[in-house]
Amino acid sequence: APEGSAAVVAARVVADARAAMGLEFGLLETKASMELAPAPADAGVPPPVDARTTARWLDALLALPNGPLKWSHALPDLVETSNNVAAARTTEAAGGGAPELFVLCSTRSSVAPAIERVRHSLRAVAETLGGGRIELP
């Protein structure tokens, strides 16, 4: 493939991401893997988005709190509050509008005010980086 082709660029991005994952998680996640594969033709994949939207979505994903956020004061080594950025997907908006990013988060806490603080953070990220909406139970 030519040097500037999408396949070469994508392969470089995956290689860089693998290297970064290895540095950050290599000793803990010894079986972690990453691959890039074309989507099946019938997968219903939305069309690509422009560079500005892509950057805004990536900023939003990076800004979301993820992992343990507070440890218990009462019980050593117990996570009190956490958020997991569990999944992300894009979809075309109804009526042919701009594509939308949907992010699934799992927020947990043994302290009610703490979970509300995390939910407030999730709302703030969505509103600040694109006017998204947050649906909470």
Side-chain angles (χ1 to χ4, degrees), residues 71-79:
W71 297 89
S72 172
H73 295 263
L75 300 169
D77 299 324
L78 179 70
V79 174

Side-chain angles (χ1 to χ4, degrees), residues 1-85:
E3 180 61 26
S5 73
V8 171
V9 171
R12 208 174 284 137
V13 167
V14 170
D16 290 349
R18 277 188 185 135
M21 279 180 49
L23 288 173
E24 188 172 354
F25 302 109
L27 296 177
L28 179 63
E29 299 291 344
T30 59
K31 295 181 182 178
S33 66
M34 181 184 302
E35 70 177 89
L36 184 66
D42 62 347
V45 177
V49 295
D50 59 80
R52 182 176 175 181
T53 300
T54 299
R56 195 176 78 242
W57 287 355
L58 290 174
D59 286 346
L61 290 169
L62 290 170
L64 291 171
N66 188 52
L69 303 173
K70 184 161 186 308
W71 297 89
S72 172
H73 295 263
L75 300 169
D77 299 324
L78 179 70
V79 174
E80 178 184 280
T81 305
S82 65
N83 188 62
N84 176 35
V85 179

